[in-house]
Amino acid sequence: MALELNVLSDAKGSNPGGLARITNGRDNFDVYFKYVYGSKIPVGFSNLKSDHQPVYEAITFELARRLGLSTPSFFVLLNDKNDVKFNYGKNVSKKKHSGRLYYFISKIIKESSIDKKQLNEIGNTIVEEERPYLEMLQIDDILGVRQNYLVDSANAKVFYIDLGCSFVHAKEGFIYFPSRSRKINHNEKRNKKGRCQLKRKNVIKLDNVGELINLEGIVSNFRNLMVPTLNPFGRKKISDLISIREIEEVEDYIRYGFCNNLKSLEERKILIIN
């Protein structure tokens, strides 16, 4: 059975997409989906492509989870065979979402139904504690942006529902670079320096004090990173979804974020050198 995306709302943010229910013949679940349709990156400046933005966002979510941050279940919805069927609910504009190569999908989760002020206080405290991990991934728009995370007060944790993409931003249907990305020099000399800086560097995983995450290992094995997919359900290496040139460029951004925050991680006593 072909995967069906039953669109339940118009866009909920600045990018195309919205709320939907996925039906795939095995189970049904409610999701948020999004994509972009263009790029504002100057020609020749980058290898990144707007069609691949959902993969870039999934990379950010996957790295966040590896560091111990909590997110909803997420997927890259594959439409390389143009076999995803879109249905539209009542009072939803019949905007044509079909024809995209990939879509970013995240499962809908609900927030605790307690006093909103209390939730905000709990959330602000937790996000501040987790700031070093967010900064490592160059995610700088979470603090103070309440709609980007939900609070699980019973378990004293937050779920980041909109991390965006840490190395290339997406807004109003277009990808563009944050200003810091323009300062990254993609060349082998810098890459060697970055690898040297990360050698023997580990961070304490956020949700497991006894586990260390090797930073050099994440970067050196980056092209083998796997992300969850739908249509079909499973996991795929990012090298099966985007080009090696894209991967090398994203790897530079990830390395830069790690190296640029080593001092902060050390000050927070979550950097371990062995």
Side-chain angles (χ1 to χ4, degrees), residues 113-120:
S113 56
I114 65 172
D115 179 72
K116 291 297 182 182
K117 182 179 179 180
Q118 185 180 351
L119 280 180
N120 290 342

Side-chain angles (χ1 to χ4, degrees), residues 131-150:
R131 179 200 286 264
Y133 297 87
L134 296 166
E135 290 178 342
M136 283 176 61
L137 295 175
Q138 303 177 78
I139 299 168
D140 52 13
D141 59 352
I142 294 292
L143 287 169
V145 187
R146 182 64 172 82
Q147 65 266 30
N148 286 348
Y149 61 89
L150 298 179

Side-chain angles (χ1 to χ4, degrees), residues 39 41-48 177 186 249:
S39 173
I41 298 173
V43 175
F45 180 77
S46 169
N47 295 303
L48 303 189
F177 276 130
H186 305 288
E249 184 173 331

